[in-house]
Amino acid sequence: MNLSQIELLRVLQETNLNLSKAAEKMHIVQSAVSRQLQLFEAELGSPLFERQGKKLIGLTALGRRIMQEVAIINGAKTNIQHIAADYLDSNQGILHIATTHTQAKYFLPAPIQRFRKKYPGVKIYMVQSSPDQLIDQLLVRKADIAICTERVDEVTDLVIETCYEWHHALVVPPQHPLSEGEISLERLASFPILTYSFGFTGRSNIESAFKNTGLKLDITLAAADTDVIKTYVRLGMGAGLIAAMAYDHVTDQDLVARDLSHLIPGSRTKIAYLKHNYLPSYSQHFIAELLIAAKETKY
């Protein structure tokens, strides 16, 4: 058994058990891939793959268990590389941040600006995904840190830090009836509502608030992007329920924003990363900047 064989198993899983693609990624001929698999299985004394002729079509029970260990070994190899790189030069590297459009536009600019001043040599890649996919980006190691609200507590293999709590706000044109007077759930429910799609930016909290009082929302438009919601609010299609952080006091002066924190439960945005991942100095500093930014801002 050697590390090349372990790496081959990882690459096969990554390429959906495609022998030719695995050979291409490993820079060897396909016959060498097949030979290494045969040697590995012979050493273990049992096949790891189900086959149809020469084609691999799935993992055996043993293969599935072995792949769990392969993931751990690959994680350790990645950690070794990151530890060495951090030791040699902590101002060089790449930080992959899994986040949503809302976080990227309204929360991250300030901490990223401060981070860049201290670590100008670190490249920042934003992996923008839907909220339910952010944790997946960590699990497949396409992201180092995830900034998320939904689903984060469902995965046990994570370190989770609460970043900040935020609330929803109502946005309407100045001439809209909801621009003044007392706001209640009953009053909101009497107007067409524009808000987030399911799974995005606290939509579940909005649904729960109305459901608990027996009220039904008339959602005429749902979108993942706050700017889309505000665009259609401006067209007079209804009242917008958005994250309070997404109201810009400069660019949104043509809209009236009203606090809904007394009506809709708040949401908590959290920072998550894999427990067994080594975080370079710059990644740890970035998390610290996020926590500082969270204390400075109230949503």
Side-chain angles (χ1 to χ4, degrees):
M1 187 187 304
N2 57 59
L3 282 176
S4 295
Q5 291 170 327
I6 300 295
E7 176 67 5
L8 174 57
L9 294 180
R10 184 193 68 79
V11 172
L12 276 168
Q13 191 170 40
E14 192 178 89
T15 57
N16 295 316
L17 308 185
N18 188 304
L19 290 168
S20 60
K21 287 184 179 178
E24 186 179 334
K25 282 202 166 192
M26 296 286 291
H27 305 291
I28 56 178
V29 296
Q30 187 172 327
S31 59
V33 169
S34 299
R35 177 61 178 160
Q36 286 301 315
L37 287 182
Q38 291 169 0
L39 289 172
F40 194 68
E41 289 176 323
E43 181 176 351
L44 296 179
S46 180
L48 301 179
F49 299 94
E50 296 175 354
R51 290 171 168 83
Q52 193 172 68
K54 293 183 178 180
K55 185 178 180 181
L56 306 182
I57 60 171
L59 289 164
T60 63
L62 175 63
R64 288 192 293 273
R65 181 64 185 87
I66 294 296
M67 282 300 186
Q68 294 175 12
E69 298 301 316
V70 168
I72 294 170
I73 293 169
N74 185 60
K77 187 180 77 171
T78 302
N79 281 344
I80 289 169
Q81 292 169 335
H82 288 167
I83 290 168
D86 198 23
Y87 178 81
L88 294 171
D89 187 354
S90 62
N91 190 38
Q92 298 293 327
I94 300 174
L95 175 61
H96 295 86
I97 308 164
T99 188
T100 62
H101 170 86
T102 300
Q103 303 289 351
K105 181 170 182 178
Y106 298 103
F107 174 62
L108 288 178
I112 283 179
Q113 278 186 314
R114 288 199 294 258
F115 174 81
R116 289 287 296 163
K117 289 180 180 177
K118 182 170 178 64
Y119 290 98
V122 175
K123 294 179 175 63
I124 299 171
Y125 291 166
M126 286 196 192
V127 185
Q128 285 187 231
S129 298
S130 60
D132 63 341
Q133 293 176 333
L134 293 175
I135 298 303
D136 293 335
Q137 302 301 321
L138 290 178
L139 296 177
V140 298
R141 297 180 182 270
K142 289 186 177 179
D144 305 305
I145 297 168
I147 303 166
C148 45
T149 303
E150 316 285 341
R151 195 194 156 198
V152 67
D153 296 318
E154 297 176 14
V155 182
T156 58
D157 198 28
L158 297 176
V159 176
I160 300 169
E161 295 189 47
T162 298
C163 191
Y164 65 92
E165 186 168 341
W166 57 272
H167 297 84
H168 287 92
L170 166 73
V171 289
V172 291
Q175 66 273 19
H176 195 282
L178 290 173
S179 65
E180 56 186 14
E182 184 180 351
I183 296 291
S184 65
L185 292 177
E186 290 79 5
R187 194 173 174 213
L188 283 173
S190 66
F191 291 92
I193 297 296
L194 285 63
T195 192
Y196 299 103
S197 304
F198 283 107
F200 282 80
T201 322
R203 166 72 183 267
S204 58
N205 283 3
I206 295 172
E207 294 281 341
S208 297
F210 284 86
K211 186 177 180 180
N212 291 341
T213 54
L215 295 168
K216 188 175 181 180
L217 274 173
D218 177 19
I219 298 178
T220 58
L221 182 143
D225 188 330
T226 307
D227 293 333
V228 172
I229 296 170
K230 289 189 285 189
T231 293
Y232 288 94
V233 167
R234 290 184 171 98
L235 293 176
M237 283 186 58
L241 300 188
I242 65 170
M245 74 178 83
Y247 178 81
D248 190 303
H249 293 277
V250 177
T251 60
D252 295 330
Q253 288 186 40
D254 59 329
L255 297 176
V256 175
R258 306 200 62 187
D259 177 42
L260 297 179
S261 61
H262 60 299
L263 299 176
I264 299 172
S267 298
R268 288 185 176 179
T269 290
K270 299 175 182 179
I271 304 163
Y273 53 92
L274 289 173
K275 281 181 183 177
H276 304 295
N277 264 22
Y278 174 77
L279 286 183
S281 304
Y282 57 78
S283 296
Q284 296 174 42
H285 181 77
F286 182 70
I287 291 173
E289 289 291 358
L290 292 177
L291 297 175
I292 291 170
K295 289 179 182 178
E296 294 173 345
T297 312
K298 291 187 177 180
Y299 299 118

